[in-house]
Amino acid sequence: MSTDGPTVDQGVREMILLLPRLMARAKRMPIPERLRDYALTPRHLSLLALLLYDESATVKDLAARLQLASTTVSLMVNDLSRQGILHRREDERDRRRTIVGIADAHRPAIEGWLGAGAAAWRTVFEPMSPPERALVINALLTYERETMELTRQPD
């Protein structure tokens, strides 16, 4: 690598080696004892992370942020609500809307579990300028889009 940074090929090689290690480490993060019996999936984790940092949201808002159908998110919320991980309440301004949040009994376990990943990203992002953070985020989003195209099943 040059002093200015890696060439495109060197960068590709580094990322090809790095990403599987990152995924393996993420998969090895132990699920808190309190949550082990709930059969949580990666989609549940993303939903819980949003609710952890945003406090609460509607199913429609969660679906938009997760880029999933509202019916899919509604099923996940129903499942997690039945298990007592999430709670629901009416929106005081619009009683037709339901606000979803993490149940207080499970918040500490979820904060401890997902907070480690958030702390690692904070370590990455704090020394960066906003444009540098945007560059990292946009690079990962572009990678996601490109790999989505590669993994699409033929019709």
Side-chain angles (χ1 to χ4, degrees), residues 48-70:
L48 292 171
L50 282 175
L51 291 173
L52 184 61
Y53 296 106
D54 294 345
E55 294 292 321
S56 61
T58 65
V59 168
K60 183 179 177 181
D61 290 340
L62 290 167
R65 290 186 197 135
L66 293 169
Q67 299 177 359
L68 295 171
S70 289

Side-chain angles (χ1 to χ4, degrees), residues 8-62:
V8 171
D9 286 342
Q10 290 168 332
V12 167
R13 182 179 188 283
E14 288 296 318
M15 294 308 291
I16 286 173
L17 295 171
L18 175 62
L19 287 175
R21 290 194 319 260
L22 291 175
M23 298 309 295
R25 282 195 178 92
K27 288 179 181 179
R28 284 194 304 260
M29 285 178 56
I31 296 173
E33 180 91 27
R34 184 176 185 94
L35 300 172
R36 286 195 187 135
D37 294 335
Y38 294 106
L40 298 173
T41 67
R43 283 186 174 177
H44 288 120
L45 300 184
S46 296
L47 179 121
L48 292 171
L50 282 175
L51 291 173
L52 184 61
Y53 296 106
D54 294 345
E55 294 292 321
S56 61
T58 65
V59 168
K60 183 179 177 181
D61 290 340
L62 290 167

Side-chain angles (χ1 to χ4, degrees), residues 29-142:
M29 285 178 56
I31 296 173
E33 180 91 27
R34 184 176 185 94
L35 300 172
R36 286 195 187 135
D37 294 335
Y38 294 106
L40 298 173
T41 67
R43 283 186 174 177
H44 288 120
L45 300 184
S46 296
L47 179 121
L48 292 171
L50 282 175
L51 291 173
L52 184 61
Y53 296 106
D54 294 345
E55 294 292 321
S56 61
T58 65
V59 168
K60 183 179 177 181
D61 290 340
L62 290 167
R65 290 186 197 135
L66 293 169
Q67 299 177 359
L68 295 171
S70 289
T71 53
T72 301
V73 174
S74 183
L75 289 171
M76 290 188 331
V77 167
N78 287 341
D79 180 42
L80 294 174
S81 295
R82 257 192 318 278
Q83 296 181 68
I85 295 172
L86 298 181
H87 64 80
R88 301 173 191 204
R89 64 177 169 77
E90 282 184 351
D91 184 340
E92 294 175 8
R93 290 173 279 166
D94 182 351
R95 299 220 182 261
R96 295 170 295 174
R97 292 173 21 132
T98 300
I99 306 295
V100 180
I102 296 172
D104 291 340
H106 293 289
R107 182 170 285 282
I110 292 168
E111 282 175 345
W113 184 27
L114 299 178
W121 278 114
R122 190 171 305 287
T123 300
V124 169
F125 283 138
E126 278 181 346
M128 293 180 175
S129 67
E132 289 169 326
R133 288 182 210 123
L135 181 67
V136 171
I137 293 165
N138 289 331
L140 292 171
L141 289 170
T142 300

